[in-house]
Amino acid sequence: MDAFSSSPSSGSPSQQFSADDFKDQLKTQLAQAYAEEFLETLRGKCFEKCITKPGSSLSGGESSCISRCVERYIEATGIISKSLFSAPH
């Protein structure tokens, strides 16, 4: 049997997940997936916008463009998140 089975004889209690443990693990995995998706989106959008001639190093203009792009994207995401989470349900 697996750790999510409802059968009482399916392993020792230390191997069983409680509903709260499962929720916590799921929240952690979702947060990690969101962070990875956020970084991949950020990387793609800022690269597309700022890197005109890919090479072995960034020019000064490309470096500042990426910094500004990242800052704006993070700021915009924060504003959107704040609006979504403070909206009345």
Side-chain angles (χ1 to χ4, degrees):
M1 290 279 158
D2 63 13
F4 301 109
S5 174
S6 60
S7 172
S9 63
S10 63
S12 69
S14 65
Q15 293 176 347
Q16 295 293 315
F17 281 108
S18 71
D20 288 339
D21 290 340
F22 180 73
K23 287 177 188 176
D24 288 343
Q25 184 178 14
L26 184 59
K27 284 179 186 178
T28 300
Q29 289 176 349
L30 287 171
Q32 182 178 0
Y34 173 77
E36 288 172 7
E37 182 179 345
F38 176 80
L39 289 174
E40 187 58 37
T41 301
L42 183 68
R43 212 175 295 136
K45 290 191 181 295
C46 292
F47 183 90
E48 186 178 304
K49 178 178 176 56
C50 298
I51 309 300
T52 55
K53 298 178 198 168
S56 61
S57 63
L58 296 175
S59 70
E62 290 171 334
S63 183
S64 0
C65 179
I66 287 175
S67 293
R68 286 190 311 271
C69 180
V70 168
E71 286 173 14
R72 276 189 252 137
Y73 198 82
I74 290 172
E75 182 181 3
T77 302
I79 291 168
I80 292 167
S81 295
K82 203 179 283 186
S83 296
L84 286 175
F85 292 117
S86 67
H89 295 278

